[in-house]
Amino acid sequence: MKRDFRWFAACIAACAALFALPVAAQTALRMNISVAQNSHYGVAIDTFAREIEKRTNGRYKIQNFYSGALGAERESIEALQLGTLDLTMTSTGPVPNFVPDIAILDIPFLFRDYAHARTVLDGPIGRQMLDKFEAKGIHALAWGENGFRNMTNSKHPVNAPEDLKGLKMRTMENPVHIQAYRAFGIIPTPMAFTEVFTALQQGTVDGQENPLSVITSAKLDQVQKYLTLTGHVYSPALILMSKAQWDKLSPADRQAFEDAAREAVKANRARIDDDERKAVADLRAKGMQVVENVDKAKFQAALAPTFAEFGKKFGQENIDRIRNYK
Ligand code: EAX
């Protein structure tokens, strides 16, 4: 009898000790993107979430939301400033409304190719630009990638800039794009990406422009007939965090978030490289008519008047520094 009591008392003591152990608190952070989970951003934020859980030993957990579930890109950036959202991955589309200097990157035909864009953004120029977000209540963790943008429409094939004249095209809410596309003779209609599929389906707009990764992940082949590989502008992306949340992190956790963002961008860029290899064949198989051989010099020449204006706005030496960066 006495032995049973001792055994029972030992069990009680062990349980009490177990409950006394300090259970590491877990902080859940919400992250939102405007495109589907099966996309170049979806693979990035899912990688980010795995890396954060691993690198903080579960002290931080990222709850991911896709397809604009918590808002479109502009609303997500505003929510970071308000502290009602913790993280987002976004194109630079709406960013000039918050950090105007970043708009220089949205100038058409600024980057030669993906290698050039990635080298600039991963180097000192990109670093300087990330630092500009702090004053706006946002911590920019890393440059990601959306891709080179191409034109789609439902009216007719686009073989040359003059074929764009009169087309009502959805654009991002980006002042540089809107100004440039007018030079093509396009009627620009800015709207959030979350509204684009319906607008195309209902014929509110004739077309839009986006990288192949967005065109495929958003299934725009279901509402667009013609695609032209204009590659008229490189579209950077950003992994952004609410500064209020960033400021709460320990130095070690800040390093973990930076490292996780780096892994996310690797996955993001790898997915884009894969999409760029496969998308044209996939889209053709789904019925899109694709113009692949585009005289880009003609499209660039059509924008000449706006390049002079961008030179005055951003400083020609700043544009040349990016354009000529090796
Ligand atoms: O960031 O708004 C756009 O066209 C963007 O390319 C899209 O939301 C992905």
Side-chain angles (χ1 to χ4, degrees), residues 40 114 145-146 213 268-276:
H40 57 323
Y114 280 104
E145 185 166 84
N146 196 16
S213 291
N268 163 240
R269 289 171 173 172
R271 173 60 184 258
I272 289 168
D273 291 344
D274 197 38
D275 288 345
E276 291 281 322

Side-chain angles (χ1 to χ4, degrees), residues 85-145:
L85 181 67
D86 304 303
L87 293 133
T88 192
M89 183 169 193
T90 176
S91 71
T92 53
V95 170
N97 299 288
F98 303 89
V99 188
D101 290 356
I102 304 300
I104 191 172
L105 296 175
D106 295 317
I107 294 173
F109 296 107
L110 179 67
F111 293 102
R112 294 185 295 277
D113 51 32
Y114 280 104
H116 175 211
R118 294 171 185 179
T119 302
V120 169
L121 295 177
D122 292 349
I125 294 173
R127 179 69 260 165
Q128 282 165 4
M129 291 192 169
L130 292 180
D131 293 341
K132 291 176 184 287
F133 286 80
E134 294 292 310
K136 306 292 182 175
I138 298 165
H139 181 78
L141 281 166
W143 283 106
E145 185 166 84

Side-chain angles (χ1 to χ4, degrees), residues 150-165 167 169 184 186 206-208 225-230 232 289-295 299:
N150 303 296
M151 302 274 186
T152 69
N153 82 91
S154 58
K155 295 290 183 191
H156 53 251
V158 170
N159 292 289
E162 47 272 24
D163 298 332
L164 290 168
K165 276 190 180 28
L167 283 178
M169 300 283 279
F184 282 139
I186 280 171
D206 302 321
Q208 64 88 47
K225 179 74 181 160
Y226 305 102
L227 164 64
T228 300
L229 302 186
T230 48
H232 55 280
Q289 279 188 34
V290 184
V291 175
E292 282 189 82
N293 302 313
V294 175
D295 183 343
F299 284 85

Side-chain angles (χ1 to χ4, degrees), residues 34-35 41 73 90-91 146 149 170 172 193 209-211 214:
S34 61
V35 293
Y41 290 179
E73 293 187 345
T90 176
S91 71
N146 196 16
R149 303 178 76 91
R170 177 267 174 176
M172 294 199 287
F193 185 70
E209 41 85 54
N210 245 298
V214 175

